[in-house]
Amino acid sequence: MPMSEIAKQIKAIADLGLAPLLKQAGFRKRGTHYARVKGEALQLINVQSSQWNMSSQGRFTLNIGVHFSSVAKMLMGADRMPAVPKHYYCLRRKRVGQLLPDKADRWWTVAPQTNASDVAAELSSAMNDYVLPWLTKVETISGVAMELERGPDPLSGGLWTAPAARLVLGEPERAGELARTMLDDLSNELKSCHPGNKALLTSHIEKLNQWVVDHNLLGFTKAEKAQ
C-alpha cells in the first residue's frame, strides 16, 4: 500500500529529528526502527504512528526498549527476540512520555501546515535530554535490574523479570526475596479480585511458583500455593 502524504511527513520529521543524533549515538536505522548494541544490551527506538491517522492529520510517538538475551533465557528458557529486533519483545519498554518530566503520554500531531523543523527540534530535545540518559542507566544488567525492581511496567511483559535479572547477576537471595514479594502481592490480590480475573491471577501464581522451583529458589523464598 502506498505511503500516505501524512505518513511521509511523519517519516521526514522523525528522520530530521532523530537520525543524526541516533547515528552519532551508535544506532542503526531500519525503516522507522533504530537499534544499537552496547555490551550485552540491545536497545531499540521505534517511531509509532497512530492507527487513527487520516489523510489530513496524523499523530506519532516513540517507543523505547532495552533487552538482555541472558535475562530472557533465564526468564523463559529461550530468547524470543527475532533476528530483526522488535521493541515489543524487549524485557523493559517505555513510551517516550513516561520519561518526560510530566509523565504524560506524548504524541506529536502532524498536519500539512506543521513546521517540520519545530517538531524535529522537540524530538531531538526529548531524545537528548531524557531518552538517551535513561538508556545509559539501563545498558547493564545491574542497571536494568534496579529499573525492573521499581515494579512491572504496563508496557512490559514478565512479572518476574526482576528476579530473573538478579539470578543472571548471581544473586539468588535477592531473586528469592523479589519472587516472595511478588507471590505475596499476587496472593493478596487474588483474595479481593473480581471473579473474572481469578483464573488469570491463579495462573500467574502457579507459573511463578514453578519458576521458583525450576531455578532452585526454594531455599531463599517460600513458594505459596494458589488458594
Side-chain angles (χ1 to χ4, degrees):
M1 181 180 294
M3 186 179 295
S4 70
E5 290 304 314
I6 285 295
K8 291 178 182 177
Q9 192 175 0
I10 288 173
K11 182 179 183 303
I13 290 171
D15 286 348
L16 180 63
L18 299 178
L21 180 60
L22 292 181
K23 182 178 181 180
Q24 185 178 19
F27 284 83
R28 299 184 66 180
K29 182 176 181 293
R30 187 186 182 100
T32 58
H33 305 272
Y34 297 83
R36 74 175 176 184
V37 175
K38 294 198 73 176
E40 286 191 70
L42 170 64
Q43 298 185 333
L44 303 176
I45 296 169
N46 162 253
V47 181
Q48 178 189 336
S49 293
S50 170
Q51 61 179 321
W52 308 113
N53 283 357
M54 302 175 291
S55 59
S56 58
Q57 182 173 293
R59 299 193 310 154
F60 72 95
T61 190
L62 302 177
N63 298 306
I64 303 100
V66 62
H67 188 76
F68 292 87
S69 184
S70 58
V71 178
K73 291 174 182 176
M74 183 68 74
L75 180 67
M76 298 172 285
D79 185 3
R80 300 183 300 164
M81 182 65 71
V84 178
K86 304 294 184 184
H87 77 278
Y88 42 81
Y89 284 95
C90 286
L91 295 174
R92 190 63 161 180
R93 302 191 296 276
K94 293 285 187 181
R95 187 76 58 73
V96 63
Q98 293 175 284
L99 301 177
L100 299 180
D102 61 6
K103 307 299 182 185
D105 199 15
R106 183 71 169 91
W107 291 78
W108 285 270
T109 299
V110 176
Q113 67 273 20
T114 296
N115 186 310
S117 296
D118 288 348
V119 179
E122 286 186 32
L123 283 177
S124 294
S125 178
M127 187 61 57
N128 205 41
D129 296 343
Y130 303 105
V131 177
L132 290 177
W134 181 77
L135 287 174
T136 297
K137 291 179 181 179
V138 294
E139 67 184 29
T140 64
I141 296 177
S142 59
V144 84
M146 288 188 287
E147 170 73 20
L148 290 164
E149 287 174 27
R150 294 190 177 99
D153 193 301
L155 297 177
S156 300
L159 287 174
W160 45 97
T161 312
R166 289 299 175 187
L167 273 183
V168 172
L169 291 169
E171 301 173 8
E173 295 87 352
R174 181 59 179 155
E177 178 185 343
L178 291 167
R180 182 178 64 247
T181 298
M182 291 176 184
L183 282 167
D184 288 344
D185 289 346
L186 287 170
S187 296
N188 289 333
E189 189 176 351
L190 183 66
K191 294 174 184 177
S192 58
C193 74
H194 186 279
N197 296 328
K198 186 172 183 178
L200 179 61
L201 284 171
T202 299
S203 175
H204 283 325
I205 292 170
E206 291 174 349
K207 288 178 180 178
L208 181 50
N209 272 325
Q210 188 60 54
W211 188 85
V212 165
V213 171
D214 291 344
H215 291 86
N216 301 313
L217 293 181
L218 286 176
F220 304 109
T221 185
K222 179 182 177 183
E224 300 287 343
K225 297 294 184 182
Q227 300 296 325

